[in-house]
Amino acid sequence: TGLSYAPTACKSLPGEEAATVLDDNKGLFLATFADEMTVWQGTTGACGAVAREACTGMNGTLTPIYEEAAGGSHCSCTLRDQFFVQNPEEQRIQLVYGYEVDFSKGKRSDLFRGGILASADSAGPAH
């Protein structure tokens, strides 16, 4: 199966979803495109014509898919929503750098700590 790419809108993301720290703090990912999938699953009494109608009536950028096992013992509805992230270039990144120096030769009795907190008001040159 190939990838299906069909965004039809721009949506804002909550701050915690707009940026992700990669494994072992080795990178930062800023989202510019989202492909969300919601899957609903039901059993016997929750399946049938009403469930099919509710599924196919949902709004997404791709057609909802309703599947039901023979006899209606279980069913599922899959809804995919693809969109561009609204104004990703306006996301703000704040860098924090810290260090610690042990002047007591490993005894940790004479520590000096410092760091830098990048100002939230700073901005780079316009491009």
Side-chain angles (χ1 to χ4, degrees), residues 11-21 28-34 36 83 85-93:
K11 297 181 183 181
S12 60
L13 289 178
E16 66 273 9
E17 292 181 20
T20 305
V21 176
L28 180 68
F29 175 77
L30 297 174
T32 57
F33 169 77
E36 294 183 342
F83 56 90
V85 175
Q86 187 173 359
N87 302 323
E89 70 281 3
E90 293 180 8
Q91 290 295 322
R92 302 207 44 111
I93 301 170

PDB file of all heavy atoms in Angstrom, residues 11-21 28-34 36 83 85-93:
ATOM      1  N   LYS A  11      -4.416  23.709  10.688  1.00  0.00           N
ATOM      2  CA  LYS A  11      -4.928  23.743  12.057  1.00  0.00           C
ATOM      3  C   LYS A  11      -3.781  24.037  13.006  1.00  0.00           C
ATOM      4  O   LYS A  11      -2.642  23.624  12.759  1.00  0.00           O
ATOM      5  CB  LYS A  11      -5.539  22.395  12.444  1.00  0.00           C
ATOM      6  CG  LYS A  11      -6.743  21.991  11.627  1.00  0.00           C
ATOM      7  CD  LYS A  11      -7.271  20.666  12.099  1.00  0.00           C
ATOM      8  CE  LYS A  11      -8.437  20.175  11.249  1.00  0.00           C
ATOM      9  NZ  LYS A  11      -8.962  18.886  11.723  1.00  0.00           N
ATOM     10  N   SER A  12      -4.097  24.724  14.097  1.00  0.00           N
ATOM     11  CA  SER A  12      -3.065  24.959  15.104  1.00  0.00           C
ATOM     12  C   SER A  12      -2.983  23.743  16.009  1.00  0.00           C
ATOM     13  O   SER A  12      -3.964  23.026  16.204  1.00  0.00           O
ATOM     14  CB  SER A  12      -3.381  26.220  15.902  1.00  0.00           C
ATOM     15  OG  SER A  12      -4.613  26.083  16.560  1.00  0.00           O
ATOM     16  N   LEU A  13      -1.794  23.519  16.540  1.00  0.00           N
ATOM     17  CA  LEU A  13      -1.571  22.423  17.470  1.00  0.00           C
ATOM     18  C   LEU A  13      -1.300  22.987  18.856  1.00  0.00           C
ATOM     19  O   LEU A  13      -0.687  24.048  18.981  1.00  0.00           O
ATOM     20  CB  LEU A  13      -0.352  21.589  17.050  1.00  0.00           C
ATOM     21  CG  LEU A  13      -0.473  20.729  15.811  1.00  0.00           C
ATOM     22  CD1 LEU A  13       0.837  20.015  15.537  1.00  0.00           C
ATOM     23  CD2 LEU A  13      -1.578  19.705  15.969  1.00  0.00           C
ATOM     24  N   PRO A  14      -1.713  22.268  19.905  1.00  0.00           N
ATOM     25  CA  PRO A  14      -1.315  22.692  21.248  1.00  0.00           C
ATOM     26  C   PRO A  14       0.208  22.655  21.349  1.00  0.00           C
ATOM     27  O   PRO A  14       0.868  21.857  20.668  1.00  0.00           O
ATOM     28  CB  PRO A  14      -1.941  21.644  22.163  1.00  0.00           C
ATOM     29  CG  PRO A  14      -2.888  20.862  21.327  1.00  0.00           C
ATOM     30  CD  PRO A  14      -2.510  21.070  19.893  1.00  0.00           C
ATOM     31  N   GLY A  15       0.772  23.509  22.195  1.00  0.00           N
ATOM     32  CA  GLY A  15       2.224  23.601  22.320  1.00  0.00           C
ATOM     33  C   GLY A  15       2.924  22.273  22.527  1.00  0.00           C
ATOM     34  O   GLY A  15       3.970  22.005  21.944  1.00  0.00           O
ATOM     35  N   GLU A  16       2.336  21.385  23.336  1.00  0.00           N
ATOM     36  CA  GLU A  16       2.981  20.106  23.614  1.00  0.00           C
ATOM     37  C   GLU A  16       2.987  19.163  22.409  1.00  0.00           C
ATOM     38  O   GLU A  16       3.736  18.201  22.384  1.00  0.00           O
ATOM     39  CB  GLU A  16       2.345  19.422  24.832  1.00  0.00           C
ATOM     40  CG  GLU A  16       0.912  18.982  24.640  1.00  0.00           C
ATOM     41  CD  GLU A  16      -0.131  20.050  24.949  1.00  0.00           C
ATOM     42  OE1 GLU A  16       0.220  21.222  25.172  1.00  0.00           O
ATOM     43  OE2 GLU A  16      -1.326  19.704  24.946  1.00  0.00           O
ATOM     44  N   GLU A  17       2.171  19.445  21.398  1.00  0.00           N
ATOM     45  CA  GLU A  17       2.147  18.619  20.196  1.00  0.00           C
ATOM     46  C   GLU A  17       2.923  19.249  19.043  1.00  0.00           C
ATOM     47  O   GLU A  17       3.244  18.585  18.076  1.00  0.00           O
ATOM     48  CB  GLU A  17       0.707  18.358  19.754  1.00  0.00           C
ATOM     49  CG  GLU A  17      -0.065  17.484  20.707  1.00  0.00           C
ATOM     50  CD  GLU A  17      -1.482  17.221  20.216  1.00  0.00           C
ATOM     51  OE1 GLU A  17      -1.746  17.391  19.011  1.00  0.00           O
ATOM     52  OE2 GLU A  17      -2.311  16.852  21.050  1.00  0.00           O
ATOM     53  N   ALA A  18       3.203  20.545  19.136  1.00  0.00           N
ATOM     54  CA  ALA A  18       3.857  21.258  18.043  1.00  0.00           C
ATOM     55  C   ALA A  18       5.343  20.924  17.938  1.00  0.00           C
ATOM     56  O   ALA A  18       5.923  20.999  16.867  1.00  0.00           O
ATOM     57  CB  ALA A  18       3.677  22.763  18.209  1.00  0.00           C
ATOM     58  N   ALA A  19       5.956  20.543  19.058  1.00  0.00           N
ATOM     59  CA  ALA A  19       7.387  20.218  19.059  1.00  0.00           C
ATOM     60  C   ALA A  19       7.613  18.962  19.878  1.00  0.00           C
ATOM     61  O   ALA A  19       6.950  18.738  20.890  1.00  0.00           O
ATOM     62  CB  ALA A  19       8.206  21.367  19.629  1.00  0.00           C
ATOM     63  N   THR A  20       8.552  18.133  19.427  1.00  0.00           N
ATOM     64  CA  THR A  20       8.876  16.885  20.105  1.00  0.00           C
ATOM     65  C   THR A  20      10.382  16.762  20.225  1.00  0.00           C
ATOM     66  O   THR A  20      11.106  16.929  19.238  1.00  0.00           O
ATOM     67  CB  THR A  20       8.341  15.671  19.307  1.00  0.00           C
ATOM     68  OG1 THR A  20       6.944  15.841  19.100  1.00  0.00           O
ATOM     69  CG2 THR A  20       8.598  14.374  20.026  1.00  0.00           C
ATOM     70  N   VAL A  21      10.850  16.436  21.433  1.00  0.00           N
ATOM     71  CA  VAL A  21      12.276  16.164  21.637  1.00  0.00           C
ATOM     72  C   VAL A  21      12.519  14.729  21.190  1.00  0.00           C
ATOM     73  O   VAL A  21      11.813  13.808  21.595  1.00  0.00           O
ATOM     74  CB  VAL A  21      12.667  16.354  23.117  1.00  0.00           C
ATOM     75  CG1 VAL A  21      14.124  15.975  23.332  1.00  0.00           C
ATOM     76  CG2 VAL A  21      12.415  17.780  23.552  1.00  0.00           C
ATOM     77  N   LEU A  28      15.328  17.989  17.886  1.00  0.00           N
ATOM     78  CA  LEU A  28      14.028  18.595  18.105  1.00  0.00           C
ATOM     79  C   LEU A  28      13.262  18.539  16.791  1.00  0.00           C
ATOM     80  O   LEU A  28      13.779  18.920  15.744  1.00  0.00           O
ATOM     81  CB  LEU A  28      14.194  20.052  18.561  1.00  0.00           C
ATOM     82  CG  LEU A  28      12.922  20.833  18.835  1.00  0.00           C
ATOM     83  CD1 LEU A  28      12.207  20.269  20.063  1.00  0.00           C
ATOM     84  CD2 LEU A  28      13.249  22.296  19.061  1.00  0.00           C
ATOM     85  N   PHE A  29      12.033  18.054  16.853  1.00  0.00           N
ATOM     86  CA  PHE A  29      11.189  17.958  15.671  1.00  0.00           C
ATOM     87  C   PHE A  29      10.058  18.962  15.798  1.00  0.00           C
ATOM     88  O   PHE A  29       9.321  18.953  16.783  1.00  0.00           O
ATOM     89  CB  PHE A  29      10.623  16.543  15.532  1.00  0.00           C
ATOM     90  CG  PHE A  29       9.641  16.405  14.406  1.00  0.00           C
ATOM     91  CD1 PHE A  29      10.084  16.318  13.094  1.00  0.00           C
ATOM     92  CD2 PHE A  29       8.283  16.384  14.651  1.00  0.00           C
ATOM     93  CE1 PHE A  29       9.179  16.209  12.052  1.00  0.00           C
ATOM     94  CE2 PHE A  29       7.370  16.270  13.616  1.00  0.00           C
ATOM     95  CZ  PHE A  29       7.825  16.183  12.317  1.00  0.00           C
ATOM     96  N   LEU A  30       9.920  19.851  14.826  1.00  0.00           N
ATOM     97  CA  LEU A  30       8.814  20.804  14.783  1.00  0.00           C
ATOM     98  C   LEU A  30       7.836  20.344  13.705  1.00  0.00           C
ATOM     99  O   LEU A  30       8.201  20.230  12.532  1.00  0.00           O
ATOM    100  CB  LEU A  30       9.313  22.207  14.460  1.00  0.00           C
ATOM    101  CG  LEU A  30      10.256  22.820  15.491  1.00  0.00           C
ATOM    102  CD1 LEU A  30      10.794  24.154  15.006  1.00  0.00           C
ATOM    103  CD2 LEU A  30       9.561  22.987  16.817  1.00  0.00           C
ATOM    104  N   ALA A  31       6.619  20.076  14.104  1.00  0.00           N
ATOM    105  CA  ALA A  31       5.619  19.555  13.181  1.00  0.00           C
ATOM    106  C   ALA A  31       5.189  20.615  12.171  1.00  0.00           C
ATOM    107  O   ALA A  31       4.984  21.771  12.519  1.00  0.00           O
ATOM    108  CB  ALA A  31       4.404  19.064  13.953  1.00  0.00           C
ATOM    109  N   THR A  32       5.073  20.204  10.915  1.00  0.00           N
ATOM    110  CA  THR A  32       4.540  21.068   9.867  1.00  0.00           C
ATOM    111  C   THR A  32       3.348  20.398   9.172  1.00  0.00           C
ATOM    112  O   THR A  32       2.598  21.053   8.463  1.00  0.00           O
ATOM    113  CB  THR A  32       5.606  21.394   8.804  1.00  0.00           C
ATOM    114  OG1 THR A  32       6.101  20.175   8.250  1.00  0.00           O
ATOM    115  CG2 THR A  32       6.759  22.182   9.422  1.00  0.00           C
ATOM    116  N   PHE A  33       3.184  19.094   9.385  1.00  0.00           N
ATOM    117  CA  PHE A  33       2.119  18.314   8.765  1.00  0.00           C
ATOM    118  C   PHE A  33       1.668  17.274   9.786  1.00  0.00           C
ATOM    119  O   PHE A  33       2.486  16.722  10.518  1.00  0.00           O
ATOM    120  CB  PHE A  33       2.633  17.630   7.493  1.00  0.00           C
ATOM    121  CG  PHE A  33       1.696  16.609   6.917  1.00  0.00           C
ATOM    122  CD1 PHE A  33       0.587  17.005   6.199  1.00  0.00           C
ATOM    123  CD2 PHE A  33       1.914  15.262   7.104  1.00  0.00           C
ATOM    124  CE1 PHE A  33      -0.291  16.070   5.672  1.00  0.00           C
ATOM    125  CE2 PHE A  33       1.054  14.309   6.579  1.00  0.00           C
ATOM    126  CZ  PHE A  33      -0.053  14.718   5.857  1.00  0.00           C
ATOM    127  N   ALA A  34       0.375  17.021   9.859  1.00  0.00           N
ATOM    128  CA  ALA A  34      -0.145  16.016  10.788  1.00  0.00           C
ATOM    129  C   ALA A  34      -1.004  15.009  10.026  1.00  0.00           C
ATOM    130  O   ALA A  34      -1.726  15.363   9.091  1.00  0.00           O
ATOM    131  CB  ALA A  34      -0.960  16.676  11.881  1.00  0.00           C
ATOM    132  N   GLU A  36      -3.416  12.320  11.533  1.00  0.00           N
ATOM    133  CA  GLU A  36      -3.998  11.731  12.731  1.00  0.00           C
ATOM    134  C   GLU A  36      -4.957  10.605  12.346  1.00  0.00           C
ATOM    135  O   GLU A  36      -5.722  10.722  11.391  1.00  0.00           O
ATOM    136  CB  GLU A  36      -4.759  12.785  13.532  1.00  0.00           C
ATOM    137  CG  GLU A  36      -3.871  13.860  14.099  1.00  0.00           C
ATOM    138  CD  GLU A  36      -4.630  14.866  14.946  1.00  0.00           C
ATOM    139  OE1 GLU A  36      -5.878  14.953  14.845  1.00  0.00           O
ATOM    140  OE2 GLU A  36      -3.965  15.579  15.714  1.00  0.00           O
ATOM    141  N   PHE A  83      -3.621  17.353   7.875  1.00  0.00           N
ATOM    142  CA  PHE A  83      -3.634  18.812   7.760  1.00  0.00           C
ATOM    143  C   PHE A  83      -2.233  19.369   7.948  1.00  0.00           C
ATOM    144  O   PHE A  83      -1.351  18.726   8.517  1.00  0.00           O
ATOM    145  CB  PHE A  83      -4.592  19.434   8.778  1.00  0.00           C
ATOM    146  CG  PHE A  83      -4.311  19.063  10.211  1.00  0.00           C
ATOM    147  CD1 PHE A  83      -3.465  19.830  11.000  1.00  0.00           C
ATOM    148  CD2 PHE A  83      -4.896  17.940  10.766  1.00  0.00           C
ATOM    149  CE1 PHE A  83      -3.210  19.499  12.313  1.00  0.00           C
ATOM    150  CE2 PHE A  83      -4.648  17.594  12.091  1.00  0.00           C
ATOM    151  CZ  PHE A  83      -3.800  18.377  12.864  1.00  0.00           C
ATOM    152  N   VAL A  85       0.159  22.118   9.728  1.00  0.00           N
ATOM    153  CA  VAL A  85       0.174  22.829  11.004  1.00  0.00           C
ATOM    154  C   VAL A  85       0.192  24.319  10.705  1.00  0.00           C
ATOM    155  O   VAL A  85       0.997  24.795   9.902  1.00  0.00           O
ATOM    156  CB  VAL A  85       1.392  22.413  11.851  1.00  0.00           C
ATOM    157  CG1 VAL A  85       1.471  23.237  13.121  1.00  0.00           C
ATOM    158  CG2 VAL A  85       1.319  20.927  12.174  1.00  0.00           C
ATOM    159  N   GLN A  86      -0.700  25.032  11.357  1.00  0.00           N
ATOM    160  CA  GLN A  86      -0.826  26.465  11.113  1.00  0.00           C
ATOM    161  C   GLN A  86       0.350  27.229  11.721  1.00  0.00           C
ATOM    162  O   GLN A  86       0.684  27.057  12.891  1.00  0.00           O
ATOM    163  CB  GLN A  86      -2.136  26.962  11.719  1.00  0.00           C
ATOM    164  CG  GLN A  86      -2.461  28.389  11.385  1.00  0.00           C
ATOM    165  CD  GLN A  86      -3.852  28.754  11.877  1.00  0.00           C
ATOM    166  OE1 GLN A  86      -4.564  27.942  12.441  1.00  0.00           O
ATOM    167  NE2 GLN A  86      -4.243  29.982  11.643  1.00  0.00           N
ATOM    168  N   ASN A  87       0.993  28.024  10.911  1.00  0.00           N
ATOM    169  CA  ASN A  87       2.097  28.904  11.321  1.00  0.00           C
ATOM    170  C   ASN A  87       3.214  28.210  12.115  1.00  0.00           C
ATOM    171  O   ASN A  87       3.594  28.682  13.181  1.00  0.00           O
ATOM    172  CB  ASN A  87       1.559  30.089  12.133  1.00  0.00           C
ATOM    173  CG  ASN A  87       0.538  30.887  11.367  1.00  0.00           C
ATOM    174  OD1 ASN A  87       0.657  31.065  10.162  1.00  0.00           O
ATOM    175  ND2 ASN A  87      -0.491  31.344  12.054  1.00  0.00           N
ATOM    176  N   PRO A  88       3.783  27.123  11.607  1.00  0.00           N
ATOM    177  CA  PRO A  88       4.860  26.464  12.364  1.00  0.00           C
ATOM    178  C   PRO A  88       6.086  27.357  12.516  1.00  0.00           C
ATOM    179  O   PRO A  88       6.853  27.214  13.468  1.00  0.00           O
ATOM    180  CB  PRO A  88       5.175  25.215  11.536  1.00  0.00           C
ATOM    181  CG  PRO A  88       4.768  25.583  10.153  1.00  0.00           C
ATOM    182  CD  PRO A  88       3.570  26.487  10.316  1.00  0.00           C
ATOM    183  N   GLU A  89       6.260  28.312  11.607  1.00  0.00           N
ATOM    184  CA  GLU A  89       7.411  29.207  11.667  1.00  0.00           C
ATOM    185  C   GLU A  89       7.332  30.166  12.855  1.00  0.00           C
ATOM    186  O   GLU A  89       8.333  30.793  13.222  1.00  0.00           O
ATOM    187  CB  GLU A  89       7.548  30.005  10.363  1.00  0.00           C
ATOM    188  CG  GLU A  89       6.477  31.056  10.128  1.00  0.00           C
ATOM    189  CD  GLU A  89       5.143  30.528   9.604  1.00  0.00           C
ATOM    190  OE1 GLU A  89       4.992  29.296   9.455  1.00  0.00           O
ATOM    191  OE2 GLU A  89       4.245  31.347   9.344  1.00  0.00           O
ATOM    192  N   GLU A  90       6.182  30.235  13.493  1.00  0.00           N
ATOM    193  CA  GLU A  90       6.034  31.115  14.644  1.00  0.00           C
ATOM    194  C   GLU A  90       6.283  30.400  15.981  1.00  0.00           C
ATOM    195  O   GLU A  90       6.176  31.015  17.038  1.00  0.00           O
ATOM    196  CB  GLU A  90       4.648  31.757  14.637  1.00  0.00           C
ATOM    197  CG  GLU A  90       4.469  32.723  13.474  1.00  0.00           C
ATOM    198  CD  GLU A  90       3.098  33.374  13.449  1.00  0.00           C
ATOM    199  OE1 GLU A  90       2.320  33.204  14.418  1.00  0.00           O
ATOM    200  OE2 GLU A  90       2.812  34.039  12.448  1.00  0.00           O
ATOM    201  N   GLN A  91       6.611  29.113  15.926  1.00  0.00           N
ATOM    202  CA  GLN A  91       6.921  28.388  17.153  1.00  0.00           C
ATOM    203  C   GLN A  91       8.185  28.967  17.768  1.00  0.00           C
ATOM    204  O   GLN A  91       9.149  29.260  17.067  1.00  0.00           O
ATOM    205  CB  GLN A  91       7.122  26.888  16.873  1.00  0.00           C
ATOM    206  CG  GLN A  91       5.867  26.167  16.515  1.00  0.00           C
ATOM    207  CD  GLN A  91       4.878  26.150  17.659  1.00  0.00           C
ATOM    208  OE1 GLN A  91       5.236  26.012  18.816  1.00  0.00           O
ATOM    209  NE2 GLN A  91       3.613  26.309  17.328  1.00  0.00           N
ATOM    210  N   ARG A  92       8.171  29.130  19.069  1.00  0.00           N
ATOM    211  CA  ARG A  92       9.327  29.679  19.771  1.00  0.00           C
ATOM    212  C   ARG A  92      10.075  28.545  20.453  1.00  0.00           C
ATOM    213  O   ARG A  92       9.468  27.665  21.041  1.00  0.00           O
ATOM    214  CB  ARG A  92       8.879  30.720  20.780  1.00  0.00           C
ATOM    215  CG  ARG A  92       8.118  31.818  20.035  1.00  0.00           C
ATOM    216  CD  ARG A  92       8.130  33.139  20.640  1.00  0.00           C
ATOM    217  NE  ARG A  92       9.361  33.634  21.163  1.00  0.00           N
ATOM    218  CZ  ARG A  92      10.038  34.642  20.640  1.00  0.00           C
ATOM    219  NH1 ARG A  92       9.609  35.194  19.532  1.00  0.00           N
ATOM    220  NH2 ARG A  92      11.114  35.093  21.208  1.00  0.00           N
ATOM    221  N   ILE A  93      11.390  28.606  20.359  1.00  0.00           N
ATOM    222  CA  ILE A  93      12.256  27.607  20.984  1.00  0.00           C
ATOM    223  C   ILE A  93      13.073  28.321  22.045  1.00  0.00           C
ATOM    224  O   ILE A  93      13.688  29.350  21.776  1.00  0.00           O
ATOM    225  CB  ILE A  93      13.199  26.964  19.944  1.00  0.00           C
ATOM    226  CG1 ILE A  93      12.384  26.308  18.840  1.00  0.00           C
ATOM    227  CG2 ILE A  93      14.124  25.966  20.612  1.00  0.00           C
ATOM    228  CD1 ILE A  93      13.209  25.856  17.672  1.00  0.00           C
TER     229      ILE A  93
END
